[in-house]
Amino acid sequence: MNRHYYISDNLDDLETVENELEANGISTEQIHVLSEKDADVEQHHLHDVNSLMKQDVVHSGEIGAVIGVPLAALIIGGAYWLGWTESAAGWVPFIFLAIVVLGFCIWEGGFFGIQVPNTHFRSLKQQVKEGEHILFVDVEPGQESVLDRVIEHHPRLTIAGTGAAAPHWIVAWLHRWHQFKRTI
């Protein structure tokens, strides 16, 4: 999947774009609006970016995990190499310590990430601060022409670039989840 970013200062226009994209087969889960005016975005019935995803919690937590896994392996390997696992306590305290260290590293990474903007949105931070809204759409290669057709009818949208999108399986799972919630 590819992510396309567009900048607009008009939420009415973005609402029209979202409705047209949905009418042409692009699901709601593929369309998001990033804005500092969350209440206005919700009032226009646009699919906004949740507050957790505006921060870099997930990415920083992953970095914490990358640091934590070798530390946990070092604890388990060191305990084995030093023969500490041969004691009456065995492996349990070292496995527990390794899990605690891994969890702490992930938590610390997420804690750092909650203090900084999401890495995917950093380049657009200034436009959002200036009151503009960022529309981003995750599309499959076969949906690129649909997106281009809809966007060309909205000259007020400014192209802001492309980037990596959410994996297809996440978008598909979210789509099924929202359908399930609607049927209940």
Side-chain angles (χ1 to χ4, degrees):
M1 292 189 97
N2 297 317
R3 179 171 287 173
H4 296 266
Y5 295 95
Y6 302 94
I7 300 172
S8 176
D9 60 356
N10 187 332
L11 286 174
D12 293 325
D13 194 31
L14 291 181
E15 185 175 9
T16 304
V17 170
E18 184 170 318
N19 291 334
E20 289 177 15
L21 289 171
E22 289 172 359
N24 284 293
I26 296 177
S27 69
T28 304
E29 294 78 16
Q30 293 175 260
I31 307 165
H32 296 84
V33 175
L34 175 66
S35 176
E36 284 194 345
K37 300 174 183 172
D38 291 334
D40 292 343
V41 170
E42 188 173 331
Q43 187 177 23
H44 281 82
H45 308 290
L46 294 166
H47 191 215
D48 65 339
V49 178
N50 67 36
S51 58
L52 184 65
M53 295 310 291
K54 287 181 180 180
Q55 305 308 100
D56 204 30
V57 176
V58 175
H59 179 253
S60 296
E62 289 171 346
I63 292 171
V66 167
I67 293 168
V69 167
L71 288 176
L74 184 66
I75 290 168
I76 291 174
Y80 174 75
W81 184 66
L82 294 171
W84 293 346
T85 58
E86 303 298 324
S87 68
W91 286 95
V92 174
F94 304 106
I95 291 173
F96 182 72
L97 179 61
I99 291 170
V100 168
V101 167
L102 175 61
F104 178 77
C105 289
I106 294 170
W107 174 81
E108 187 64 31
F111 185 67
F112 173 77
I114 206 162
Q115 300 172 45
V116 296
N118 190 315
T119 56
H120 299 292
F121 307 142
R122 284 189 189 146
S123 62
L124 304 168
K125 181 180 172 184
Q126 188 60 37
Q127 286 88 354
V128 173
K129 273 191 171 182
E130 292 172 356
E132 294 183 326
H133 315 285
I134 310 300
L135 169 74
F136 60 94
V137 185
D138 297 339
V139 291
E140 299 283 349
Q143 296 174 319
E144 296 274 349
S145 61
V146 172
L147 177 64
D148 292 339
R149 238 185 357 257
V150 170
I151 296 299
E152 75 182 20
H153 296 296
H154 299 275
R156 295 183 68 180
L157 289 178
T158 305
I159 297 172
T162 59
H168 173 76
W169 64 271
I170 290 177
V171 173
W173 181 85
L174 284 172
H175 183 69
R176 278 189 242 114
W177 173 251
H178 290 140
Q179 284 181 328
F180 173 74
K181 287 190 331 186
R182 284 184 212 118
T183 58
I184 292 181

